[in-house]
Amino acid sequence: MALHIHEAWILLFVLPGLVTPAAISHEDYPADEGDQTSSNDNLIFDDYRGKGCVDDSGFVYKLGERFFPGHSNCPCVCTEDGPVCDQPECPKIHPKCTKVEHNGCCPECKEVKNFCEYHGKNYKILEEFKPSPCEWCRCEPSNEVHCVVADCAVPECVNPVYEPEQCCPVCKNGPNCFAGTTIIPAGIEVKVDDCNICHCHNGDWWKPAQCSKRECQGKQAL
């Protein structure tokens, strides 16, 4: 009985020496997650081609199912060839649109410019204004400014004056004309010197005065 026990102890000491590191296979011990990542540079994803469609967030849709992918607001249908998306003919955005929303399949104008801009100032639709004494303007519904410039009549004097806030010049001293370099009032004959009497043309105030010689009243040289 003692002999059998002694032989068993000998086997226990001998067997560990017979087991070498080469005898242990990697298949016997599964590698940890870090080893697997280092050995596989490219991760393998499920292939849904011909089976379904995947949106930008990774959600899978079945064949024939309608969905909205993240890159488009238009609905798509999942097919074996991939998503087939609607491409509607969207209405054109108003050129005066100042706020566009893209929440739907087509962009939508939410705010249109409702004012006119003229010389750096804004005016409401149908608002009338005078940027200068000779201009009358209005802001049209088309956001365009239409102006009318006053057409001034020819002044009846040779020395018109421009008053503040008035468009056309005025003759403060009434109609007149030139007699040489002298301004004479219209409607009366004016003796401009000892020999000449002048008067303005009727209605043609810009023309020189008509003058006629009379008997000179100055002293005659001896």
Side-chain angles (χ1 to χ4, degrees):
M1 185 68 175
L3 180 60
H4 293 294
I5 295 174
H6 180 69
E7 293 175 352
W9 277 103
I10 293 173
L11 291 174
L12 288 175
F13 283 103
V14 173
L15 287 176
L18 297 177
V19 179
T20 62
I24 301 176
S25 174
H26 289 288
E27 296 179 357
D28 297 333
Y29 296 93
D32 57 15
E33 185 177 355
D35 293 338
Q36 288 182 350
T37 304
S38 61
S39 61
N40 296 325
D41 294 334
N42 298 324
L43 297 178
I44 300 175
F45 294 95
D46 292 334
D47 187 0
Y48 292 100
R49 288 177 297 180
K51 304 175 184 178
C53 301
V54 183
D55 63 7
D56 291 351
S57 61
F59 193 85
V60 180
Y61 296 88
K62 299 178 181 179
L63 295 178
E65 191 172 0
R66 294 176 65 86
F67 67 101
F68 292 85
H71 65 278
S72 172
N73 289 319
C74 296
C76 302
V77 177
C78 181
T79 68
E80 293 184 355
D81 298 327
V84 176
C85 303
D86 294 341
Q87 297 295 331
E89 293 185 4
C90 297
K92 294 182 179 180
I93 298 296
H94 195 284
K96 302 287 185 180
C97 185
T98 57
K99 184 178 179 181
V100 181
E101 287 188 357
H102 298 274
N103 296 330
C105 183
C106 291
E108 184 178 358
C109 180
K110 290 296 183 181
E111 185 176 339
V112 179
K113 182 180 177 182
N114 58 352
F115 61 90
C116 300
E117 185 176 355
Y118 189 77
H119 291 177
K121 294 183 179 181
N122 294 336
Y123 300 92
K124 298 179 181 179
I125 300 296
L126 299 182
E127 181 179 357
E128 298 178 357
F129 58 97
K130 293 188 68 175
S132 70
C134 290
E135 287 182 289
W136 176 84
C137 303
R138 185 174 72 170
C139 176
E140 301 294 341
S142 61
N143 302 110
E144 296 180 352
V145 175
H146 289 173
C147 296
V148 176
V149 180
D151 186 12
C152 297
V154 178
E156 296 181 346
C157 60
V158 294
N159 55 350
V161 177
Y162 286 88
E163 296 286 352
E165 301 302 323
Q166 290 187 6
C167 175
C168 298
V170 295
C171 296
K172 299 188 70 173
N173 298 320
N176 55 38
C177 66
F178 276 116
T181 58
T182 304
I183 298 176
I184 63 174
I188 59 175
E189 291 185 346
V190 177
K191 187 177 182 181
V192 295
D193 55 32
D194 292 337
C195 301
N196 294 299
I197 296 178
C198 303
H199 69 275
C200 296
H201 290 270
N202 293 329
D204 297 334
W205 315 112
W206 60 91
K207 292 182 179 180
Q210 288 180 329
C211 299
S212 60
K213 288 187 177 183
R214 301 289 176 90
E215 183 179 349
C216 296
Q217 298 180 358
K219 291 183 180 180
Q220 304 244 344
L222 298 176

